[in-house]
Amino acid sequence: MTQRGPAHPHVAVVDGPLGRLVLVASERGLVAVERAGPDDDAVPTPSPPPWLDDACAQVSAYLRGEVDSIAAPVDLSYVPRFDAAVYRAVRRIPYGCVASYGDVARAVGAPRAARAVGTALARCPLGIVVPCHRVVRSDGSVAGAPADVRTREHLLELEARHAPARGRRLS
């Protein structure tokens, strides 16, 4: 795992258009969604929490454009408090919509913290479940490393195909 997490995590694997994803969970919720490397042989753990199979199904269905949200529980106890507030705000951005880093900063009560929002999102361990791809620059462009930009654009295009344009809104 790339971040602090449970001592004995539960692991599940989802294959899809983004490659193999590894879902890492505590008893309370997902703590990470990571891309498996080419040599990563993640093996699902025995006796996972009862909700983990449903979380895998939701992630798969989202990536196929069949559902517009992933309602799996998340365990944010392993991330800094500000980051957790950012992730909760980002989960409220509707499917098919985007918000700017400044919009998210205002939503968490820190209107001058757009850069801190960007930093929190850059280290988010729960991509897709926390739809970081819906947060864009104020000019509407997608930020990040080239591989990240391609993934974000892919997810935004997926959502655009399956949702009517609803504009920018963060409630």
Side-chain angles (χ1 to χ4, degrees), residues 41-58:
D41 56 350
V43 177
T45 52
S47 305
W51 52 264
L52 190 53
D53 283 341
D54 187 49
C56 289
Q58 288 179 48

Side-chain angles (χ1 to χ4, degrees), residues 81-157:
R81 188 179 350 212
F82 179 79
D83 293 13
V86 168
Y87 304 157
R88 284 190 291 274
V90 169
R91 286 190 91 187
R92 292 192 307 266
I93 300 170
Y95 184 85
C97 297
V98 296
S100 71
Y101 294 95
D103 293 335
V104 176
R106 286 185 290 282
V108 299
R112 299 176 71 155
R115 283 189 140 179
V117 166
T119 300
L121 293 175
R123 64 179 170 230
C124 180
L126 288 158
I128 300 175
V129 176
V130 173
C132 301
H133 59 278
R134 295 180 191 156
V135 182
V136 297
R137 293 179 175 142
S138 58
D139 67 2
S141 65
V142 177
D148 294 336
V149 168
R150 283 191 298 276
T151 298
R152 287 171 168 229
E153 288 173 341
H154 171 82
L155 294 172
L156 289 171
E157 289 167 9

Side-chain angles (χ1 to χ4, degrees), residues 1-125:
M1 233 177 344
T2 57
Q3 303 238 341
R4 294 179 312 171
H8 303 288
H10 299 282
V11 177
V13 177
V14 174
D15 289 307
L18 297 178
R20 176 171 273 207
L21 299 177
V22 179
L23 280 62
V24 182
S26 70
E27 290 297 324
R28 297 186 328 197
L30 293 172
V31 296
V33 177
E34 303 172 344
R35 281 190 189 199
D39 298 326
D40 194 347
D41 56 350
V43 177
T45 52
S47 305
W51 52 264
L52 190 53
D53 283 341
D54 187 49
C56 289
Q58 288 179 48
V59 168
S60 290
Y62 168 80
L63 292 171
R64 290 189 306 269
E66 296 170 0
V67 299
D68 62 7
S69 66
I70 300 169
V74 295
D75 181 354
L76 298 176
S77 66
Y78 300 98
V79 300
R81 188 179 350 212
F82 179 79
D83 293 13
V86 168
Y87 304 157
R88 284 190 291 274
V90 169
R91 286 190 91 187
R92 292 192 307 266
I93 300 170
Y95 184 85
C97 297
V98 296
S100 71
Y101 294 95
D103 293 335
V104 176
R106 286 185 290 282
V108 299
R112 299 176 71 155
R115 283 189 140 179
V117 166
T119 300
L121 293 175
R123 64 179 170 230
C124 180

